[in-house]
Amino acid sequence: MKIKGLRWYIIALIALATVINYIDRSAINIMWPYIYKDFGIADADNKSALALITTFFMIAYALGQTFTGKLMDAVGTRIGMTLSIIGWSISIALHAFARSLLSFNLFRFMLGFSEAGNWPGATKSNAEWFPARERAIAQGIFGAGASLGSVISAPIIALLYVAFGWKMTFVLIAGLGLIWIIPWLFINKATPDKHSWLTEKERNHILDSDPGSKKQTEEAPVLGWKELLKFRNTWGIIMGRFFIDPVWWLFVTWLPTFLKEQFLFDIKQIGAFTWLPYLFAAAGSLLGGYHSSQQIKKGIPAVKARKNAIALGCLLMLLALVTIVYFLDTLKDRPSLAMVLIGITLFGFQFLIGNLQTLPSDYFNGKNVGTVAGMGGTAAVAGTLLTTWAVPVLTQTSYVSFFVLAAVLVPITWICIKYITSKKIHS
């Protein structure tokens, strides 16, 4: 049996896994403003408690990014992704049995460690299944999964919460990941060089797009973390992720709380409004990949095309965030406009992040892509932890500082990518 365009089936499954990933991780943030009293937490302490829960998740996520990056390089994406999604499905189901803040923290730690594998796994899989000129589009599809997960998670979680309560909500969404494993193992039987369903035309398209690259990859050494840190490009990726990812997480973690405090929304209104910014983000993810791929087709080197897309995404983010800071008081009476401006911010983020996440596969051979991607993911979590701890302090009286913080991080990211990374591609 031969299937035309098999690589697109693979990336579609990875995007679906990412949708499930975001439904699972978003559940606590959406329901938290309405369930924290069940754990005896006072109104004044609810944001600090959520920050603590998020901290446990993010510490595990940081450790998991680096560990699972090595795992993907060691056992391959087929088994690595399977282990990851089994782990996070069990972890999210256990949330239903939380009886205290301590047990929530434990289950969030388990969730963060296992969910981390989705990112180095996706980056490595894209490097395996797509030639360089198509990788940004593939990464964009994968990134759109994160945005789509955020689009649908708010209404889904709100409906399940209203219908079944918070405990059963965690159990029901856990089943999604376990179901995903079936088509993943069935379709992703082997790597492109060995997959029996690939047509020869597609196999050559994937493997022979860069003459000699397969031989170079086979001969290239597997580098350790210490050796990879000797490269300037590794540091550019690490620092870029350190500064830009916290902006995304500011909204993933705190948007429901912001809507409740700024606009006095109930959970049904949050479900009705929260999806809009992430719809913008999904569009940004796809267009960011398309933008750089079109530039590559015109003869622009892949790395330069990625950097151009990153610069454009940063510009859009900065313009939207500065506008929000300037007009935040008047936006209190215009929640729809606030959602559009946040949407433009997330559009810009997703426009650039897929290209940033593709850089490891541009700079390094396939044996080291997962590791470098994991290191970048760990740095992203480290930056996110700092902003997570800052939010309860910054938002005591107003959210102005919240958006100022996000705005400041954007140009710093552009500087890291522009001046720390180089044009050299490491074999």
Side-chain angles (χ1 to χ4, degrees):
M1 181 175 67
K2 301 294 183 181
I3 297 178
K4 293 183 179 180
L6 184 62
R7 67 193 187 282
W8 300 108
Y9 288 85
I10 299 295
I11 191 59
L13 282 171
I14 290 175
L16 181 58
T18 311
V19 170
I20 297 169
N21 188 295
Y22 262 80
I23 291 174
D24 289 0
R25 75 172 58 181
S26 299
I28 186 65
N29 300 321
I30 294 165
M31 293 190 289
W32 183 252
Y34 308 96
I35 68 172
Y36 64 81
K37 291 182 180 179
D38 291 357
F39 300 93
I41 298 171
D43 290 344
D45 298 327
N46 91 86
K47 282 194 285 188
S48 296
L50 181 58
L52 181 62
I53 291 171
T54 304
T55 296
F56 272 82
F57 177 90
M58 297 307 295
I59 289 173
Y61 197 71
L63 297 172
Q65 286 272 352
T66 298
F67 174 83
T68 57
K70 274 290 186 185
L71 176 69
M72 298 298 167
D73 284 335
V75 304
T77 54
R78 183 176 188 263
I79 300 302
M81 288 288 287
T82 300
L83 294 174
S84 181
I85 202 163
I86 288 174
W88 90 58
S89 297
I90 293 172
S91 299
I92 196 65
L94 288 173
H95 283 54
F97 301 95
R99 294 293 180 267
S100 65
L101 190 59
L102 177 61
S103 54
F104 249 133
N105 289 336
L106 175 61
F107 298 146
R108 292 306 282 182
F109 188 94
M110 293 170 59
L111 182 71
F113 192 89
S114 50
E115 280 203 336
N118 196 66
W119 269 254
T123 302
K124 182 176 177 64
S125 185
N126 289 348
E128 291 172 343
W129 282 90
F130 290 86
R133 62 182 179 275
E134 290 181 346
R135 284 177 194 158
I137 291 179
Q139 200 76 13
I141 294 171
F142 151 64
S147 303
L148 183 58
S150 297
V151 168
I152 66 176
S153 62
I156 286 176
I157 298 302
L159 288 172
L160 291 175
Y161 172 81
V162 171
F164 302 106
W166 65 268
K167 294 180 182 179
M168 186 53 66
T169 298
F170 285 123
V171 173
L172 291 173
I173 61 179
L176 298 174
L178 299 177
I179 294 171
W180 175 90
I181 293 170
I182 299 171
W184 173 253
L185 292 177
F186 181 69
I187 295 174
N188 190 19
K189 294 178 180 294
T191 51
D193 57 324
K194 300 175 183 177
H195 205 300
S196 60
W197 292 0
L198 266 178
T199 64
E200 283 306 307
K201 181 179 180 181
E202 185 174 13
R203 194 189 315 276
N204 292 333
H205 175 77
I206 295 169
L207 300 177
D208 298 336
S209 57
D210 183 10
S213 62
K214 182 179 178 182
K215 182 179 179 182
Q216 290 174 5
T217 297
E218 291 173 347
E219 295 175 351
V222 177
L223 303 177
W225 294 315
K226 185 176 180 180
E227 294 169 301
L228 288 168
L229 287 174
K230 295 178 181 179
F231 293 114
R232 181 178 174 181
N233 290 333
T234 305
W235 282 104
I237 292 165
I238 287 174
M239 296 305 294
R241 296 291 306 276
F242 177 85
F243 288 110
I244 200 62
D245 277 70
V247 180
W248 173 259
W249 282 94
L250 282 171
F251 293 102
V252 169
T253 303
W254 299 105
L255 184 56
T257 301
F258 168 72
L259 292 175
K260 185 188 177 187
E261 294 187 350
Q262 187 84 354
F263 303 111
L264 305 178
F265 278 7
D266 60 27
I267 194 166
K268 292 181 181 179
Q269 289 172 306
I270 286 177
F273 271 81
T274 306
W275 62 271
L276 182 60
Y278 296 108
L279 187 62
F280 276 79
S285 183
L286 294 172
L287 290 174
Y290 177 78
H291 179 271
S292 59
S293 294
Q294 287 298 111
Q295 287 196 317
I296 293 171
K297 287 182 179 179
K298 294 178 181 178
I300 296 175
V303 170
K304 184 176 181 181
R306 316 277 193 231
K307 290 184 177 182
N308 290 342
I310 291 169
L312 182 54
C314 284
L315 178 61
L316 291 170
M317 291 180 72
L318 191 59
L319 290 174
L321 288 166
V322 170
T323 302
I324 292 172
V325 170
Y326 190 78
F327 293 105
L328 186 59
D329 286 338
T330 56
L331 289 174
K332 288 182 178 180
D333 299 321
R334 306 178 71 182
S336 296
L337 180 57
M339 292 299 96
V340 169
L341 289 170
I342 292 173
I344 295 172
T345 302
L346 299 187
F347 176 98
F349 175 87
Q350 287 293 343
F351 192 95
L352 71 87
I353 195 64
N355 287 280
L356 202 166
Q357 290 172 332
T358 306
L359 288 178
S361 62
D362 292 327
Y363 286 131
F364 299 91
N365 74 77
K367 292 182 179 180
N368 298 303
V369 169
T371 303
V372 176
M375 293 167 73
T378 297
V381 175
T384 300
L385 280 173
L386 297 177
T387 58
T388 298
W389 296 332
V391 168
V393 177
L394 293 175
T395 60
Q396 287 181 356
T397 57
S398 167
Y399 275 84
V400 170
S401 298
F402 176 94
F403 291 103
V404 168
L405 172 63
V408 168
L409 294 173
V410 175
I412 297 176
T413 300
W414 178 80
I415 291 171
C416 291
I417 299 301
K418 177 71 174 177
Y419 295 107
I420 298 180
T421 56
S422 66
K423 294 180 180 180
K424 183 178 179 180
I425 298 178
H426 306 298
S427 61

